[in-house]
């Protein structure tokens, strides 16, 4: 029998995680039956190609190629976003067509589009989605706000879960308001004395209504997830690995994106810097656990980390070093220790941060860039990390096939030497010419072969 | 004492600026004069941002400080608003239809405002017709369209096409900006220019309007 997880080194955990990735299982834990020996061979080759690109130990056979769309496959399959996110098999059908038509090395699952009925049953406030706050054919968009008030830092730091139950969740889900603010403090349920008192809230009509609504929303979530997981199994059988296990957030972004909003968190850096630092510290192990648990549950090592509020212009270098990077670095190290591959999704421009962010364990991370001088990224980070992305939205959406071909070659020339590069678009997109996506994939498969 | 508030605002000294204004008002200093100083301080903030000394959080913070200062001054300013500073020119700003992102747009509005432009902020997810109507109403010589998502490529193009269809295209300069916007998108939409960041919007407006 293999060594116990707890006794493994980080390197051994990563190898074990990659090995699980290359031997996919379905929801019941049974081995996926590949459609053909060829599909199995392709699946394992694709996992090995990406693994080699990430680990920087051995040059892969060629540059891996991914495509990461937002809602684009839905339109490509002839549907409107609203109809697909209410009728889940249409999302799975669209994603399947997308993967099979363009034949990238991996797929990112079809969880992204989400479930409108679920959000609506819960009266979700943090986002607008097609048909609810934005048009019927739009991707979801965040509605930032102060879902945590400026004077609530101590509550969060003191007990994050209790804060989420009593304050945050009722604010972002209409159906949990006021029910969750009436919940007992669960850690006070210790001994027989007074235990029943803690359960009185469950007799109250608003709480009972909320639990009823959650049961219905949960059933909807299960229906939706069944389709999404079924898609993953079907793609695995056809030879396409899923690239992602799940996601986590840089602690400062969890605070800024989700709890305090852009303006709130930026002001807090001036008005209550010590609280921000404490909150970041408190959220760090929670963010690590979130990533490691998803990787363990799915058997995939890559953890998506969308980067937001530390971008070049969003704060000074001094602020980045003080508020953003320490929590980010700790997150990377914690995930790596848990056998995961952190995959920062570097949205916007972060060129001035590269020299700071290169201080990471070698061969254990994957950085996907949006707008970035990739030659510079390779020079600065190439010796410690795999990089990828950067094919511009404008090029795939508006450019000609020749422009895409040329850009693909340019990226390979700038980044691919010795391994450590994955071809991919730079930002999630809803706008693309199919022939351009095809060109990016085909040129990579031809021009990106390592000789 | 003159100029103290300018410096406090420019250096982002929130509590000191507020305390200073409170004391000055008690001593009978003219509120309009203090407002002018505050605005001068904001101008310096804008300059420091454009020179790379200040970043977005500094801008947002300065806006918050100004808001608190104006709140203190407002009761004393009533009826005294005559001395309005001369504006450089009108600029319409909107996040295009289908897109509800406001952070970038708000920065552009803020910087145009502190740089002396008269800004019409139409908000987010602005229908094509609303923009055309506002253009007709104000005769603004400059429009800035913002969008974060790739769906904005088409919304921007439709907006600019509608401005042309209304016969107004040659009367207005159009700039676009946002996360995925570049020269190729500029050409696709038919805009006159695009800006990589909020300061470029100010540069473009100045170039087109003068000042």
């Amino acid at each position: 029998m293999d060594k116990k997880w707890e006794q493994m080194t980080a390197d051994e955990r990563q190898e074990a995680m990659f090995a699980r990735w290359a031997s996919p299982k379905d929801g019941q834990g049974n081995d996926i039956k590949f459609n053909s020996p060829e599909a199995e061979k392709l699946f394992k080759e694709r996992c090995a190609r990406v693994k080699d690109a990430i680990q920087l130990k051995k040059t892969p056979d060629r540059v891996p190629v991914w495509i990461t769309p937002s809602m684009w496959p839905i339109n490509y399959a002839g549907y409107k976003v609203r109809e697909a996110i209410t009728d889940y098999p249409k999302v799975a059908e669209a994603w399947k067509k997308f993967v099979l038509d363009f034949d990238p090395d991996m797929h990112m699952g079809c969880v992204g589009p989400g479930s409108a009925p679920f959000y609506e049953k819960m009266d979700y406030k943090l986002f607008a989605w097609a048909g609810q706050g934005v048009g019927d054919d739009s991707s979801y968009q965040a509605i930032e706000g102060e879902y945590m008030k400026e004077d609530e830092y101590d509550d969060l730091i003191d007990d994050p879960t209790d804060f989420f139950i009593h304050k945050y969740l009722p604010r972002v889900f209409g159906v949990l308001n006021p029910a969750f603010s009436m919940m007992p403090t669960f850690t006070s349920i210790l001994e027989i004395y007074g235990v029943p008192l803690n359960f009185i809230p469950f007799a109250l009509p608003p709480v009972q209504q909320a639990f009823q609504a959650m049961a219905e929303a949960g059933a909807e979530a299960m229906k939706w997830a069944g389709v999404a997981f079924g898609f993953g199994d079907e793609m695995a059988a056809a030879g396409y690995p899923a690239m992602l296990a799940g996601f986590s957030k840089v602690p400062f972004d969890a605070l800024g994106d989700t709890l305090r909003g852009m303006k709130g968190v930026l002001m807090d850096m001036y008005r209550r810097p010590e609280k921000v630092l404490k909150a970041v510290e408190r959220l760090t192990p929670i963010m690590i656990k979130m990533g490691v648990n998803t990787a363990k549950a799915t058997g995939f090592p890559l953890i998506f980390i969308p980067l937001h509020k530390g971008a070049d212009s969003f704060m000074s270098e001094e602020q980045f070093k003080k508020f953003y990077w320490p929590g980010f670095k700790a997150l990377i190290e914690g995930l790596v220790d848990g056998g995961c591959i952190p995959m920062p999704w570097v949205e916007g421009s972060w060129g001035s941060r590269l020299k700071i962010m290169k201080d990471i364990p070698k061969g254990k991370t994957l950085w996907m860039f949006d707008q970035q001088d990739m030659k510079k990224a390779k020079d600065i980070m190439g010796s410690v990390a795999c990089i990828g992305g950067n094919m511009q939205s404008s090029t795939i959406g508006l450019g000609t096939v020749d422009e895409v071909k040329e850009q693909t070659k340019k990226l390979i020339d700038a980044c691919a030497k010795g391994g450590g590069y994955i071809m991919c678009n730079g930002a999630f997109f809803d706008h693309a010419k199919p022939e351009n996506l095809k060109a990016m994939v085909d040129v990579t498969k031809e021009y990106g072969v390592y000789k | 004492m003159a100029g103290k508030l300018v410096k406090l605002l420019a250096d982002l000294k929130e509590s000191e600026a507020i305390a200073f204004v409170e004391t000055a008002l008690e001593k009978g200093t003219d509120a309009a004069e203090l407002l002018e100083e505050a605005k001068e301080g904001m101008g310096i903030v804008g300059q420091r941002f454009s020179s790379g000394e200040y970043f977005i959080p500094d801008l947002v913070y300065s806006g918050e400080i100004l808001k608190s200062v104006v709140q203190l001054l407002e009761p004393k300013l009533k009826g005294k608003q005559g001395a309005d500073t001369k504006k450089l020119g009108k600029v319409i700003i909107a996040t295009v239809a289908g897109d509800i992102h406001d952070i970038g747009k708000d920065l552009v509005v803020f910087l145009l405002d502190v740089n002396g432009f008269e800004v019409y902020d139409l908000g987010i997810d602005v229908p094509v017709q609303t923009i055309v109507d506002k253009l007709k109403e104000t005769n603004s010589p400059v429009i800035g369209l913002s969008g974060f998502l790739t769906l904005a490529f088409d919304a921007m193009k439709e907006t600019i096409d509608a401005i042309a269809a209304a016969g107004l295209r040659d009367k207005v300069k159009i700039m676009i900006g946002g996360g995925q916007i570049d020269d190729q998108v500029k050409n696709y939409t038919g805009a006159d220019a695009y800006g990589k960041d909020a300061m470029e919007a100010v540069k473009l407006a100045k170039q087109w309007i003068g000042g």
Side-chain angles (χ1 to χ4, degrees):
Chain A
M1 187 58 205
D2 297 327
K3 240 180 166 176
K4 279 223 173 66
W5 187 259
E6 291 72 28
Q7 294 156 354
M8 288 183 187
T9 63
D11 279 340
E12 288 169 338
R13 286 177 185 168
Q14 194 194 82
E15 285 301 329
M17 202 72 100
F18 271 125
R20 265 183 76 191
W21 195 26
S23 307
K25 298 195 186 303
D26 65 17
Q28 280 72 49
N30 304 313
D31 287 338
I32 294 275
K33 277 201 188 70
F34 289 101
N35 294 347
S36 64
E38 174 66 10
E40 180 171 7
K41 182 170 163 274
L42 283 170
F43 188 100
K44 292 187 188 305
E45 277 173 11
R46 285 163 172 156
C47 284
R49 186 172 297 136
V50 170
K51 178 183 178 221
D52 290 341
I54 291 170
Q55 289 188 322
L56 308 175
K57 287 177 185 164
K58 172 172 160 220
T59 309
D61 59 345
R62 71 160 161 80
V63 173
V65 56
W66 291 353
I67 313 173
T68 56
S70 176
M71 299 291 184
W72 186 78
I74 293 174
N75 295 149
Y76 175 64
Y79 297 120
K80 291 266 190 210
V81 173
R82 174 73 198 185
E83 69 174 311
I85 64 173
T86 49
D87 186 4
Y88 317 130
K90 286 179 178 158
V91 172
E93 179 204 321
W95 249 254
K96 185 177 162 186
K97 177 175 165 57
F98 164 68
V99 173
L100 297 180
D101 284 3
F102 297 102
D103 195 33
D105 280 313
M106 296 194 168
H107 70 86
M108 60 177 292
C110 67
V111 170
S115 159
F118 170 83
Y119 306 141
E120 281 152 26
K121 281 178 203 291
M122 291 299 290
D123 188 13
Y124 194 26
K125 312 279 192 194
L126 190 57
F127 283 84
W129 53 89
Q132 176 65 52
V134 291
D136 276 352
D137 213 18
S138 176
S139 58
Y140 56 82
Q141 300 178 43
I143 304 173
E144 283 192 358
E146 298 200 6
Y147 299 101
M148 176 178 124
K149 309 290 177 205
E150 61 185 24
D151 59 358
E152 290 175 343
Y153 269 93
D154 287 341
D155 294 337
L156 174 78
I157 293 160
D158 178 52
D159 187 343
T161 302
D162 197 61
F163 174 78
F164 265 58
I165 292 172
H166 286 108
K167 302 277 177 62
Y168 172 69
L169 293 176
R171 286 175 190 157
V172 296
F173 293 108
V175 300
L176 303 186
N177 184 25
F180 268 38
S181 62
M182 298 160 78
M183 289 288 105
T185 296
F186 288 99
T187 41
S188 299
I189 305 173
L190 288 176
E191 291 189 33
I192 192 162
Y193 326 109
V195 161
L197 299 176
N198 290 292
F199 290 76
I200 290 173
F202 298 99
L204 306 175
V207 175
Q208 294 193 341
Q209 282 156 20
F211 274 81
Q212 183 56 38
M214 284 167 71
E216 285 168 25
E220 189 67 40
M222 207 152 95
K223 189 169 123 191
W224 164 79
V227 175
F229 294 159
F231 164 81
D233 292 350
E234 197 182 340
M235 286 298 101
Y240 297 95
M243 65 179 80
L244 296 174
F247 83 104
S248 187
K249 294 286 288 269
V250 172
F252 187 87
D253 281 335
L255 190 61
D257 295 350
T258 307
L259 296 167
R260 293 284 294 135
M262 175 101 172
K263 191 167 144 192
V265 81
L266 295 187
M267 292 309 90
D268 294 340
M269 292 196 301
Y270 298 91
R271 289 176 176 159
R272 45 194 76 82
E274 295 310 316
K275 302 277 185 205
V276 175
L277 291 174
K278 269 200 172 154
V280 162
E281 198 185 318
R282 191 72 180 88
L283 289 170
T284 301
I286 295 172
M287 293 300 121
I288 293 171
K289 194 160 84 177
M290 178 175 168
V292 171
N293 286 354
T294 336
K296 278 187 183 168
T298 56
F300 313 146
L302 268 69
I303 300 294
F304 174 70
I305 308 170
L307 303 190
H308 294 148
K309 296 192 164 56
D312 282 340
S313 61
F314 281 11
M315 52 174 74
S316 68
E317 184 169 317
E318 196 189 330
Q319 287 167 331
F320 181 83
K321 283 181 180 163
K322 182 174 175 182
F323 294 103
Y324 199 91
W325 176 240
F328 185 12
K329 182 173 156 70
L331 172 69
I332 290 176
E333 288 169 350
L335 290 173
V336 167
D337 186 55
C340 303
I341 304 292
M343 185 182 107
W345 183 262
V346 192
E347 302 196 53
S349 303
W350 292 64
S352 71
R353 316 296 191 204
L354 297 178
K355 59 186 190 302
I356 302 167
M357 301 193 299
K358 71 173 184 185
D359 180 21
I360 42 167
K362 184 182 171 180
K364 294 184 163 51
T365 57
L366 166 58
W367 299 71
M368 301 300 279
F369 290 100
D370 174 9
Q371 289 154 27
Q372 174 62 44
D373 172 347
M374 292 301 279
K375 177 87 178 55
K376 187 178 156 196
K378 183 76 174 178
D379 286 348
I380 296 176
M381 296 191 92
S383 59
V384 291
C386 180
I387 61 174
N390 189 244
M391 179 61 77
Q392 295 298 294
S393 300
S394 55
T395 312
I396 54 174
L398 306 171
T400 62
V401 167
D402 283 341
E403 283 166 349
V404 173
K405 284 182 177 170
E406 190 194 338
Q407 189 54 27
T408 307
K409 287 181 183 173
K410 260 193 196 164
L411 282 170
I412 291 173
D413 290 342
C415 307
K417 196 165 174 241
Y421 177 69
I422 294 178
M423 178 64 63
C424 190
N425 52 292
F428 295 111
F429 60 89
D430 296 306
H431 200 295
K433 291 182 188 168
E435 62 273 25
N436 285 355
L437 296 177
K438 191 85 187 118
M440 179 176 91
V441 174
D442 291 349
V443 171
T444 307
K445 287 181 181 174
E446 213 181 285
Y447 191 74
V449 174
Y450 291 101
K451 287 159 191 143
Chain B
M1 197 154 85
K4 180 94 190 282
L5 185 58
V6 178
K7 189 167 160 39
L8 289 175
L9 248 153
D11 294 344
L12 308 175
K13 304 285 184 198
E14 183 178 29
S15 46
E16 290 171 51
I18 290 167
F20 176 82
V21 171
E22 282 169 346
T23 317
L25 286 175
E26 274 168 28
K27 286 185 185 158
T29 313
D30 182 16
E33 203 176 289
L34 291 168
L35 183 63
E36 280 313 306
E37 283 201 27
K39 282 185 180 167
E40 202 183 321
M42 296 302 284
I44 298 174
V45 170
Q47 285 161 21
R48 288 183 184 169
F49 179 72
S50 82
S51 71
E53 187 185 339
Y54 275 0
F55 291 81
I56 287 171
D58 304 307
L59 276 189
V60 180
Y61 190 38
S62 71
E64 287 295 290
I65 302 173
L66 180 68
K67 211 191 280 171
S68 308
V69 168
V70 169
Q71 255 170 22
L72 291 171
L73 298 179
E74 231 156 27
K76 316 262 178 183
L77 281 170
K78 287 210 177 95
K80 283 188 154 192
Q81 273 297 21
D84 232 353
T85 27
K86 204 171 158 287
K87 294 284 185 182
L88 291 178
K90 296 172 180 174
V91 182
I92 294 172
I93 299 290
T95 299
V96 293
D99 200 317
I100 62 170
H101 289 88
D102 58 5
I103 292 172
K105 174 201 64 96
D106 287 350
L107 283 170
V108 169
V109 168
F110 178 81
L111 282 173
L112 286 169
D113 185 57
V114 302
N115 278 280
F117 289 92
E118 187 176 355
V119 187
Y120 297 91
D121 178 3
L122 305 188
I124 53 174
D125 190 13
V126 182
V128 170
Q129 195 55 43
T130 308
I131 297 172
V132 173
D133 290 347
K134 197 70 186 175
L135 185 55
K136 283 182 186 158
E137 178 201 320
T138 61
N139 289 314
S140 166
V142 176
I143 292 187
L145 300 176
S146 172
F148 186 70
L149 305 169
T150 57
L151 64 78
F153 297 176
D154 284 329
M156 286 174 174
K157 183 172 163 47
E158 282 159 22
T159 305
I160 295 170
D161 288 348
I163 290 169
L168 303 168
R169 185 65 188 89
D170 55 354
K171 296 192 175 67
V172 63
K173 290 283 192 184
I174 302 174
M175 56 185 172
I176 60 175
Q180 299 298 312
I181 306 298
D182 61 13
D183 220 37
Q184 196 155 24
V185 181
K186 185 209 85 177
N187 293 337
Y188 174 73
T189 59
D192 294 299
Y194 87 98
K196 264 314 256 186
D197 58 39
M199 269 322 286
E200 280 198 36
V202 176
K203 275 184 218 154
L204 287 167
K206 282 191 173 165
Q207 190 185 313
W208 288 335
I209 290 179

